[in-house]
Short mmCIF file of all heavy atoms in Angstrom, two decimals:
data_model
loop_
_atom_site.label_atom_id
_atom_site.label_comp_id
_atom_site.label_asym_id
_atom_site.label_seq_id
_atom_site.Cartn_x
_atom_site.Cartn_y
_atom_site.Cartn_z
N PHE P 1172 -21.71 -48.27 38.23
CA PHE P 1172 -21.96 -47.95 39.64
C PHE P 1172 -22.22 -46.45 39.81
O PHE P 1172 -21.45 -45.75 40.49
CB PHE P 1172 -20.78 -48.39 40.52
CG PHE P 1172 -20.41 -49.84 40.34
CD1 PHE P 1172 -19.27 -50.19 39.64
CD2 PHE P 1172 -21.20 -50.84 40.88
CE1 PHE P 1172 -18.92 -51.51 39.47
CE2 PHE P 1172 -20.86 -52.18 40.71
CZ PHE P 1172 -19.71 -52.52 40.01
N PRO P 1173 -23.27 -45.92 39.17
CA PRO P 1173 -23.53 -44.47 39.26
C PRO P 1173 -23.84 -44.04 40.69
O PRO P 1173 -24.56 -44.72 41.42
CB PRO P 1173 -24.75 -44.29 38.34
CG PRO P 1173 -25.41 -45.63 38.32
CD PRO P 1173 -24.30 -46.63 38.39
N GLY P 1174 -23.25 -42.92 41.09
CA GLY P 1174 -23.53 -42.35 42.41
C GLY P 1174 -22.69 -42.90 43.54
O GLY P 1174 -22.77 -42.42 44.67
N LYS P 1175 -21.84 -43.92 43.27
CA LYS P 1175 -21.04 -44.51 44.35
C LYS P 1175 -19.72 -43.75 44.51
O LYS P 1175 -18.98 -43.57 43.54
CB LYS P 1175 -20.74 -45.98 44.06
CG LYS P 1175 -21.97 -46.89 44.14
CD LYS P 1175 -21.57 -48.34 44.34
CE LYS P 1175 -21.06 -48.60 45.73
NZ LYS P 1175 -20.91 -50.04 46.03
N THR P 1176 -19.46 -43.30 45.72
CA THR P 1176 -18.20 -42.61 46.00
C THR P 1176 -17.08 -43.60 46.26
O THR P 1176 -15.96 -43.42 45.79
CB THR P 1176 -18.36 -41.70 47.23
OG1 THR P 1176 -19.44 -40.80 47.01
CG2 THR P 1176 -17.08 -40.89 47.48
N ARG P 1177 -17.38 -44.66 47.00
CA ARG P 1177 -16.39 -45.68 47.33
C ARG P 1177 -16.86 -47.04 46.85
O ARG P 1177 -17.99 -47.46 47.14
CB ARG P 1177 -16.15 -45.73 48.84
CG ARG P 1177 -15.34 -44.56 49.36
CD ARG P 1177 -13.88 -44.70 49.01
NE ARG P 1177 -13.22 -43.42 49.03
CZ ARG P 1177 -12.02 -43.19 48.55
NH1 ARG P 1177 -11.34 -44.17 47.99
NH2 ARG P 1177 -11.49 -42.00 48.61
N LEU P 1178 -16.01 -47.74 46.10
CA LEU P 1178 -16.35 -49.06 45.60
C LEU P 1178 -15.91 -50.13 46.58
O LEU P 1178 -14.97 -49.95 47.35
CB LEU P 1178 -15.65 -49.31 44.26
CG LEU P 1178 -15.97 -48.34 43.12
CD1 LEU P 1178 -15.15 -48.73 41.88
CD2 LEU P 1178 -17.45 -48.34 42.78
N THR P 1179 -16.59 -51.27 46.55
CA THR P 1179 -16.16 -52.42 47.33
C THR P 1179 -14.92 -53.02 46.65
O THR P 1179 -14.68 -52.77 45.46
CB THR P 1179 -17.27 -53.49 47.39
OG1 THR P 1179 -17.48 -54.01 46.07
CG2 THR P 1179 -18.57 -52.90 47.93
N PRO P 1180 -14.13 -53.82 47.37
CA PRO P 1180 -12.96 -54.45 46.74
C PRO P 1180 -13.32 -55.25 45.49
O PRO P 1180 -12.61 -55.21 44.48
CB PRO P 1180 -12.41 -55.35 47.85
CG PRO P 1180 -12.82 -54.68 49.11
CD PRO P 1180 -14.17 -54.09 48.82
N GLY P 1181 -14.44 -55.97 45.52
CA GLY P 1181 -14.85 -56.75 44.36
C GLY P 1181 -15.21 -55.89 43.17
O GLY P 1181 -14.86 -56.20 42.03
N GLU P 1182 -15.91 -54.78 43.41
CA GLU P 1182 -16.30 -53.87 42.34
C GLU P 1182 -15.07 -53.21 41.71
O GLU P 1182 -14.96 -53.08 40.49
CB GLU P 1182 -17.25 -52.80 42.88
CG GLU P 1182 -18.62 -53.34 43.26
CD GLU P 1182 -19.45 -52.34 44.05
OE1 GLU P 1182 -18.88 -51.34 44.54
OE2 GLU P 1182 -20.67 -52.56 44.19
N ALA P 1183 -14.11 -52.79 42.57
CA ALA P 1183 -12.88 -52.17 42.07
C ALA P 1183 -12.06 -53.16 41.25
O ALA P 1183 -11.48 -52.81 40.21
CB ALA P 1183 -12.05 -51.63 43.24
N PHE P 1184 -12.00 -54.42 41.71
CA PHE P 1184 -11.27 -55.46 40.98
C PHE P 1184 -11.89 -55.67 39.60
O PHE P 1184 -11.18 -55.75 38.59
CB PHE P 1184 -11.27 -56.77 41.77
CG PHE P 1184 -10.48 -57.87 41.13
CD1 PHE P 1184 -9.17 -58.11 41.52
CD2 PHE P 1184 -11.02 -58.66 40.12
CE1 PHE P 1184 -8.42 -59.12 40.92
CE2 PHE P 1184 -10.29 -59.67 39.52
CZ PHE P 1184 -8.99 -59.90 39.93
N LEU P 1185 -13.22 -55.78 39.55
CA LEU P 1185 -13.91 -56.01 38.29
C LEU P 1185 -13.66 -54.89 37.30
O LEU P 1185 -13.31 -55.14 36.13
CB LEU P 1185 -15.42 -56.14 38.54
CG LEU P 1185 -16.30 -56.28 37.29
CD1 LEU P 1185 -15.98 -57.56 36.55
CD2 LEU P 1185 -17.78 -56.25 37.68
N LEU P 1186 -13.78 -53.65 37.74
CA LEU P 1186 -13.57 -52.50 36.85
C LEU P 1186 -12.12 -52.42 36.39
O LEU P 1186 -11.84 -52.13 35.23
CB LEU P 1186 -13.97 -51.20 37.55
CG LEU P 1186 -15.46 -50.96 37.78
CD1 LEU P 1186 -15.69 -49.57 38.36
CD2 LEU P 1186 -16.26 -51.13 36.50
N GLY P 1187 -11.19 -52.67 37.31
CA GLY P 1187 -9.78 -52.62 36.96
C GLY P 1187 -9.42 -53.68 35.93
O GLY P 1187 -8.68 -53.42 34.97
N ALA P 1188 -9.94 -54.88 36.11
CA ALA P 1188 -9.65 -55.98 35.18
C ALA P 1188 -10.23 -55.69 33.80
O ALA P 1188 -9.58 -55.90 32.77
CB ALA P 1188 -10.21 -57.29 35.74
N MET P 1189 -11.46 -55.22 33.75
CA MET P 1189 -12.11 -54.93 32.47
C MET P 1189 -11.40 -53.82 31.72
O MET P 1189 -11.15 -53.92 30.51
CB MET P 1189 -13.58 -54.54 32.70
CG MET P 1189 -14.46 -55.68 33.18
SD MET P 1189 -16.14 -55.13 33.61
CE MET P 1189 -16.73 -54.56 32.01
N SER P 1190 -11.05 -52.74 32.42
CA SER P 1190 -10.42 -51.59 31.77
C SER P 1190 -9.02 -51.94 31.25
O SER P 1190 -8.63 -51.53 30.16
CB SER P 1190 -10.35 -50.40 32.73
OG SER P 1190 -9.62 -50.71 33.89
N LYS P 1191 -8.27 -52.74 32.01
CA LYS P 1191 -6.92 -53.12 31.60
C LYS P 1191 -6.96 -54.05 30.40
O LYS P 1191 -6.10 -53.98 29.51
CB LYS P 1191 -6.16 -53.77 32.76
CG LYS P 1191 -4.67 -53.98 32.46
CD LYS P 1191 -3.98 -52.65 32.21
CE LYS P 1191 -2.50 -52.82 31.96
NZ LYS P 1191 -1.83 -51.52 31.72
N SER P 1192 -7.91 -54.96 30.34
CA SER P 1192 -8.02 -55.88 29.22
C SER P 1192 -8.27 -55.11 27.92
O SER P 1192 -7.66 -55.40 26.88
CB SER P 1192 -9.17 -56.87 29.46
OG SER P 1192 -8.89 -57.69 30.57
N LEU P 1193 -9.14 -54.12 27.97
CA LEU P 1193 -9.42 -53.29 26.79
C LEU P 1193 -8.16 -52.57 26.32
O LEU P 1193 -7.85 -52.52 25.13
CB LEU P 1193 -10.52 -52.28 27.11
CG LEU P 1193 -11.93 -52.85 27.34
CD1 LEU P 1193 -12.86 -51.75 27.85
CD2 LEU P 1193 -12.48 -53.45 26.05
N ALA P 1194 -7.41 -52.00 27.28
CA ALA P 1194 -6.20 -51.25 26.94
C ALA P 1194 -5.12 -52.16 26.36
O ALA P 1194 -4.41 -51.78 25.43
CB ALA P 1194 -5.68 -50.52 28.18
N THR P 1195 -4.98 -53.37 26.91
CA THR P 1195 -3.94 -54.30 26.44
C THR P 1195 -4.19 -54.76 25.02
O THR P 1195 -3.27 -54.79 24.19
CB THR P 1195 -3.87 -55.52 27.38
OG1 THR P 1195 -3.54 -55.08 28.70
CG2 THR P 1195 -2.81 -56.50 26.91
N ILE P 1196 -5.42 -55.11 24.71
CA ILE P 1196 -5.75 -55.54 23.35
C ILE P 1196 -5.45 -54.44 22.34
O ILE P 1196 -4.92 -54.69 21.26
CB ILE P 1196 -7.24 -55.95 23.27
CG1 ILE P 1196 -7.47 -57.23 24.10
CG2 ILE P 1196 -7.66 -56.19 21.82
CD1 ILE P 1196 -8.93 -57.59 24.26
N ALA P 1197 -5.74 -53.19 22.71
CA ALA P 1197 -5.55 -52.07 21.80
C ALA P 1197 -4.07 -51.75 21.56
O ALA P 1197 -3.70 -51.26 20.50
CB ALA P 1197 -6.26 -50.83 22.33
N THR P 1198 -3.21 -52.04 22.54
CA THR P 1198 -1.81 -51.60 22.45
C THR P 1198 -0.79 -52.73 22.38
O THR P 1198 0.41 -52.47 22.43
CB THR P 1198 -1.47 -50.70 23.67
OG1 THR P 1198 -1.68 -51.45 24.88
CG2 THR P 1198 -2.34 -49.46 23.69
N GLN P 1199 -1.23 -53.99 22.25
CA GLN P 1199 -0.30 -55.12 22.27
C GLN P 1199 0.83 -55.03 21.26
O GLN P 1199 1.99 -55.31 21.60
CB GLN P 1199 -1.07 -56.43 22.09
CG GLN P 1199 -0.22 -57.68 22.12
CD GLN P 1199 0.39 -57.97 23.49
OE1 GLN P 1199 0.06 -57.31 24.46
NE2 GLN P 1199 1.28 -58.94 23.55
N PRO P 1200 0.59 -54.63 19.99
CA PRO P 1200 1.72 -54.53 19.05
C PRO P 1200 2.82 -53.59 19.52
O PRO P 1200 4.01 -53.87 19.34
CB PRO P 1200 1.06 -54.01 17.77
CG PRO P 1200 -0.35 -54.50 17.86
CD PRO P 1200 -0.69 -54.39 19.31
N LEU P 1201 2.46 -52.49 20.15
CA LEU P 1201 3.46 -51.55 20.67
C LEU P 1201 4.19 -52.14 21.87
O LEU P 1201 5.39 -51.90 22.06
CB LEU P 1201 2.79 -50.23 21.06
CG LEU P 1201 2.46 -49.30 19.90
CD1 LEU P 1201 1.61 -48.13 20.39
CD2 LEU P 1201 3.73 -48.77 19.24
N ILE P 1202 3.49 -52.90 22.69
CA ILE P 1202 4.12 -53.55 23.85
C ILE P 1202 5.18 -54.53 23.38
O ILE P 1202 6.31 -54.57 23.90
CB ILE P 1202 3.06 -54.26 24.71
CG1 ILE P 1202 2.11 -53.24 25.35
CG2 ILE P 1202 3.73 -55.11 25.80
CD1 ILE P 1202 0.92 -53.87 26.06
N VAL P 1203 4.85 -55.34 22.37
CA VAL P 1203 5.79 -56.32 21.82
C VAL P 1203 7.00 -55.60 21.22
O VAL P 1203 8.15 -56.02 21.41
CB VAL P 1203 5.10 -57.19 20.75
CG1 VAL P 1203 6.11 -58.08 20.04
CG2 VAL P 1203 4.02 -58.05 21.38
N ALA P 1204 6.76 -54.51 20.50
CA ALA P 1204 7.85 -53.75 19.87
C ALA P 1204 8.77 -53.14 20.92
O ALA P 1204 10.00 -53.13 20.76
CB ALA P 1204 7.28 -52.66 18.97
N LYS P 1205 8.21 -52.64 22.00
CA LYS P 1205 9.03 -52.03 23.05
C LYS P 1205 9.92 -53.06 23.72
O LYS P 1205 11.10 -52.82 23.98
CB LYS P 1205 8.14 -51.35 24.09
CG LYS P 1205 8.93 -50.52 25.10
CD LYS P 1205 8.07 -49.98 26.21
CE LYS P 1205 7.83 -51.01 27.27
NZ LYS P 1205 7.29 -50.46 28.53
N VAL P 1206 9.36 -54.23 24.01
CA VAL P 1206 10.15 -55.31 24.62
C VAL P 1206 11.29 -55.72 23.69
O VAL P 1206 12.42 -55.95 24.13
CB VAL P 1206 9.25 -56.52 24.95
CG1 VAL P 1206 10.11 -57.71 25.40
CG2 VAL P 1206 8.27 -56.16 26.05
N GLY P 1207 11.00 -55.79 22.38
CA GLY P 1207 12.04 -56.13 21.41
C GLY P 1207 13.15 -55.11 21.36
O GLY P 1207 14.33 -55.44 21.19
N LEU P 1208 12.81 -53.85 21.54
CA LEU P 1208 13.81 -52.78 21.56
C LEU P 1208 14.70 -52.85 22.79
O LEU P 1208 15.90 -52.60 22.72
CB LEU P 1208 13.12 -51.41 21.53
CG LEU P 1208 12.93 -50.71 20.19
CD1 LEU P 1208 12.16 -49.41 20.38
CD2 LEU P 1208 14.28 -50.41 19.54
N GLN P 1209 14.12 -53.18 23.93
CA GLN P 1209 14.84 -53.10 25.20
C GLN P 1209 15.63 -54.37 25.51
O GLN P 1209 16.52 -54.34 26.37
CB GLN P 1209 13.86 -52.80 26.33
CG GLN P 1209 13.23 -51.41 26.22
CD GLN P 1209 12.20 -51.14 27.29
OE1 GLN P 1209 11.70 -52.05 27.93
NE2 GLN P 1209 11.87 -49.88 27.48
N SER P 1210 15.33 -55.48 24.84
CA SER P 1210 16.07 -56.73 25.06
C SER P 1210 17.24 -56.83 24.09
O SER P 1210 17.42 -55.97 23.22
CB SER P 1210 15.13 -57.93 24.88
OG SER P 1210 14.65 -57.97 23.55
N ARG P 1211 18.04 -57.87 24.24
CA ARG P 1211 19.13 -58.09 23.30
C ARG P 1211 18.56 -58.41 21.93
O ARG P 1211 17.53 -59.07 21.82
CB ARG P 1211 20.02 -59.24 23.78
CG ARG P 1211 20.75 -58.96 25.09
CD ARG P 1211 21.67 -60.11 25.43
NE ARG P 1211 22.27 -59.92 26.75
CZ ARG P 1211 23.36 -59.18 26.98
NH1 ARG P 1211 23.93 -58.55 25.96
NH2 ARG P 1211 23.86 -59.05 28.18
N PRO P 1212 19.23 -57.97 20.85
CA PRO P 1212 18.71 -58.27 19.50
C PRO P 1212 18.71 -59.77 19.25
O PRO P 1212 19.56 -60.50 19.78
CB PRO P 1212 19.68 -57.54 18.58
CG PRO P 1212 20.92 -57.33 19.38
CD PRO P 1212 20.46 -57.17 20.80
N PRO P 1213 17.75 -60.29 18.45
CA PRO P 1213 17.70 -61.73 18.17
C PRO P 1213 18.94 -62.19 17.42
O PRO P 1213 19.62 -61.40 16.75
CB PRO P 1213 16.43 -61.86 17.30
CG PRO P 1213 16.19 -60.50 16.75
CD PRO P 1213 16.68 -59.54 17.78
N PRO P 1214 19.29 -63.49 17.51
CA PRO P 1214 20.52 -64.02 16.89
C PRO P 1214 20.63 -63.72 15.39
O PRO P 1214 21.74 -63.49 14.90
CB PRO P 1214 20.40 -65.53 17.15
CG PRO P 1214 19.56 -65.64 18.36
CD PRO P 1214 18.57 -64.53 18.27
N ILE P 1215 19.52 -63.70 14.68
CA ILE P 1215 19.57 -63.49 13.24
C ILE P 1215 20.13 -62.12 12.85
O ILE P 1215 20.64 -61.92 11.76
CB ILE P 1215 18.15 -63.68 12.62
CG1 ILE P 1215 18.23 -63.80 11.10
CG2 ILE P 1215 17.23 -62.54 13.02
CD1 ILE P 1215 16.90 -64.12 10.44
N ARG P 1216 20.10 -61.18 13.79
CA ARG P 1216 20.62 -59.83 13.53
C ARG P 1216 22.10 -59.71 13.88
O ARG P 1216 22.69 -58.64 13.72
CB ARG P 1216 19.80 -58.78 14.29
CG ARG P 1216 18.38 -58.62 13.73
CD ARG P 1216 17.60 -57.56 14.50
NE ARG P 1216 18.20 -56.24 14.39
CZ ARG P 1216 17.95 -55.37 13.41
NH1 ARG P 1216 17.14 -55.71 12.42
NH2 ARG P 1216 18.52 -54.18 13.40
N GLU P 1217 22.67 -60.79 14.42
CA GLU P 1217 24.11 -60.84 14.72
C GLU P 1217 24.56 -59.66 15.60
O GLU P 1217 25.55 -59.01 15.33
CB GLU P 1217 24.92 -60.87 13.42
CG GLU P 1217 24.62 -62.10 12.57
CD GLU P 1217 25.40 -62.10 11.26
OE1 GLU P 1217 25.97 -61.04 10.92
OE2 GLU P 1217 25.44 -63.15 10.59
N GLY P 1218 23.79 -59.38 16.63
CA GLY P 1218 24.15 -58.35 17.60
C GLY P 1218 23.78 -56.94 17.21
O GLY P 1218 24.00 -56.00 17.98
N LYS P 1219 23.21 -56.73 16.02
CA LYS P 1219 22.84 -55.39 15.58
C LYS P 1219 21.53 -54.97 16.23
O LYS P 1219 20.48 -55.56 15.98
CB LYS P 1219 22.69 -55.36 14.06
CG LYS P 1219 22.34 -53.99 13.50
CD LYS P 1219 22.16 -54.05 11.99
CE LYS P 1219 21.76 -52.68 11.45
NZ LYS P 1219 21.51 -52.74 9.98
#
Side-chain angles (χ1 to χ4, degrees):
F1172 306 106
K1175 291 200 72 169
T1176 304
R1177 286 285 158 192
L1178 301 178
T1179 65
E1182 291 168 345
F1184 183 96
L1185 175 64
L1186 289 185
M1189 291 174 64
S1190 59
K1191 189 62 178 180
S1192 295
L1193 291 171
T1195 299
I1196 292 171
T1198 59
Q1199 181 68 8
L1201 282 171
I1202 294 172
V1203 172
K1205 188 186 81 165
V1206 172
L1208 264 177
Q1209 293 177 343
S1210 62
R1211 295 184 186 277
I1215 194 174
R1216 290 181 63 87
E1217 298 179 347
K1219 182 182 178 183

